[in-house]
Amino acid sequence: MQKAQAKNYNALFDLMNEQTLVITANNRLERVLTKAYLESKKNEQVLLECPIYSFQSLIEHLWHKLTLSDISVPQVLSGIQAKVLWLQAISEGSEIQFQSGKSANLAETALNQMQEWCLTKNDLNAEENSNTQAFIKWLAGFDQAKQGFITERERLNILIKHLPILLEKGIHRVIHVGFDSLTPQFKQFCDMLSSLKISVDTWSQEISLPQVKAYAVNSNEDELYYIGAQIKQYVQDNPGHQVSVVCHNLQQRHAAITRVFDELLIEDRLNSNVLKPYTISGGASLYDMPIINDLFAILTMMFVKDYEIISQVLLSPYIAEAERFQSQRAKLDIRCRQQNYQEVSLKNILHSLSELENAKEAVSGLVEISNIYTGGQYTWYEFIKLVQKIWTTMAWPGLTSLSSDDYQAVEQLYVLLDSLHSLGAVNAQTTFSQGVQQLQKLAQETLFQPESNHAAQIDVLGVLESSEIIYDHIWWIGVDELSWPAIGSPNPLIPISVLKAHEMPHYSVEHEHQLAKKITNRIYAQSPQLTLSFAMWADETEQNLSP
């Protein structure tokens, strides 16, 4: 733990005793504070249970206690269950065609925001726009399909009512840390604490003026190479220091940052299992990992007539005998393309290939799965077993050793597949194609985050996740006037009048600027050294440093 962290967090730790509970805004801050707290007390008596929870962890802890003491509490919808119910509500409640996946995400986000702001559908003005009218219909269908289940935000409302019996006796003070803004629902939580004679306080770093440097470079690419080289030199010169790269549009720049930092910071790039000297939040879609994408090609070719999908499977390195039959399968692929195959079924392709010399053994796995029946309706348990049968037949993910990233991606896919069991409670049956499409959507929406190097000196974070974490040096990239303050888009399903009346996220540019100013001041207080950087040009548009 660097000295800067220990010193700055001591001001918080001095406020803590056995009657104190600290609530953090996110899990990362919980981990950082817990580690700093335990290290600061290593020569003293430490509480058996560290009194630091992220808000999400605290909710999980309290809910577990409630379900043990009261078996009548309702079940909480899992993420996948909620997604399926939204898709069902949208398909049944729309007279016009909507992009169901995008609409389901918007509807789920809109309901979450409403519940966080303690609003109901009665607070919406259905006459204001057609989007809101559609949302109210979908919401009615969603509520009807829940069948006694509750959402994550509804769970918090139940917990608030039960706080008097759930909180450990002897808690007299709660300190919340790292919240850039507070929702009305969180304020209700705090109000209940106050009604129980528990004081509620906010803690943040003291406002300070770090040593600030600013650099302008030609392009976003040049910025990453320039800052990456600075960071490499800094950590070499300061082996005990912890540094951070803060990026407010991290998900957009994730791939570029990973590529440049791998090039600059990893010495043995040929070793796919080497631990990276940096951690990075966010990630690419699990679906976009080649080993996972090839699995979905295997599943999809069972019901889609598209030779490109069959070709992807034929040439995949993640199926049986990939190395042994690489040459034969490549020749078969060329033969099929010469025949101008496009919309053709797997069985038609296999019939043609069986006439070629040595083709039978090379495509034996494809022959076997072509005989697997995938028609009809399945329970989710039966669907999962069918998927496992298909990938076992194709020997996916291959017989050779996997890289660390491939192994972790497969493990993550197993977890997603297993989560489909929960759909039996809300949607009893599925067809094979519908089940594959649902699993694919889950994989597309799941960020692949490989195991991090816990000893890494460098953290790459978004502005929210970086909240109140102390570093010896922070590089804040992309702070041009067009990108920061970042202006978000309001949810189109909630009327603008409602957003403004209740000061909900993104309701006005002025509100976004105020929040950005607060975040900027907070980042300035998180390190004694701060380096700002931006690209002077983006898409032929000249940019300046954000004011």
Side-chain angles (χ1 to χ4, degrees), residues 220-252:
N220 289 329
E221 185 84 352
D222 290 342
E223 179 188 26
L224 295 181
Y225 276 101
Y226 186 75
I227 295 304
Q230 280 193 359
I231 293 172
K232 182 177 182 179
Q233 187 62 52
Y234 183 92
V235 296
Q236 287 176 348
D237 295 341
N238 302 277
H241 284 203
Q242 198 77 13
V243 303
S244 176
V245 178
V246 175
C247 180
H248 48 269
N249 56 348
L250 179 57
Q251 197 55 38
Q252 292 176 314

Side-chain angles (χ1 to χ4, degrees), residues 1 20 47 79 83 106 109 128 142 146 164 178 184 212 239 362 364 378 400 417 426-427 488 533:
M1 180 65 62
T20 306
L47 300 176
K83 183 70 68 180
L106 285 172
T109 301
E128 191 156 329
F142 178 78
K146 282 195 303 182
V212 180
S364 58
Y378 299 89
T400 58
L417 184 66
V426 295
N427 193 1
S533 64

Side-chain angles (χ1 to χ4, degrees), residues 262-277:
D262 282 357
E263 178 182 337
L264 294 177
L265 303 176
I266 298 178
E267 294 183 3
D268 186 8
R269 297 184 62 203
L270 296 179
N271 182 358
S272 61
N273 294 319
V274 67
L275 285 175
K276 296 183 178 184

Side-chain angles (χ1 to χ4, degrees), residues 136-301:
I136 291 175
K137 287 184 179 179
W138 301 340
L139 187 54
F142 178 78
D143 286 339
Q144 184 176 5
K146 282 195 303 182
Q147 302 175 1
F149 283 72
I150 60 172
T151 65
E152 288 279 351
R153 273 68 181 182
E154 289 173 321
R155 174 173 69 169
L156 179 54
N157 290 334
I158 294 175
L159 286 175
I160 290 173
K161 296 177 182 178
H162 288 81
L163 272 181
I165 62 172
L166 291 175
L167 274 182
E168 283 79 0
K169 294 180 180 179
I171 296 296
H172 292 167
R173 186 181 196 183
V174 168
I175 303 173
H176 54 81
V177 182
F179 292 83
D180 289 318
S181 61
L182 303 179
T183 68
Q185 192 178 37
F186 185 81
K187 291 177 182 177
Q188 281 191 352
F189 176 82
C190 294
D191 289 342
M192 176 58 78
L193 293 174
S194 297
S195 72
L196 299 174
K197 309 301 181 184
I198 298 173
S199 66
V200 180
D201 301 307
T202 300
W203 185 88
S204 60
Q205 300 293 331
E206 292 183 5
I207 297 175
S208 61
L209 292 177
Q211 180 183 348
V212 180
K213 296 180 180 179
Y215 295 93
V217 292
N218 286 327
S219 67
N220 289 329
E221 185 84 352
D222 290 342
E223 179 188 26
L224 295 181
Y225 276 101
Y226 186 75
I227 295 304
Q230 280 193 359
I231 293 172
K232 182 177 182 179
Q233 187 62 52
Y234 183 92
V235 296
Q236 287 176 348
D237 295 341
N238 302 277
H241 284 203
Q242 198 77 13
V243 303
S244 176
V245 178
V246 175
C247 180
H248 48 269
N249 56 348
L250 179 57
Q251 197 55 38
Q252 292 176 314
R253 303 187 69 178
H254 192 282
I257 293 173
T258 301
R259 172 176 49 80
V260 173
F261 279 28
D262 282 357
E263 178 182 337
L264 294 177
L265 303 176
I266 298 178
E267 294 183 3
D268 186 8
R269 297 184 62 203
L270 296 179
N271 182 358
S272 61
N273 294 319
V274 67
L275 285 175
K276 296 183 178 184
Y278 68 92
T279 67
I280 183 167
S281 296
S285 163
L286 178 64
Y287 178 78
D288 291 331
M289 292 291 293
I291 193 170
I292 302 302
N293 197 269
D294 281 5
L295 169 63
F296 280 102
I298 293 170
L299 299 176
T300 304
M301 73 178 181

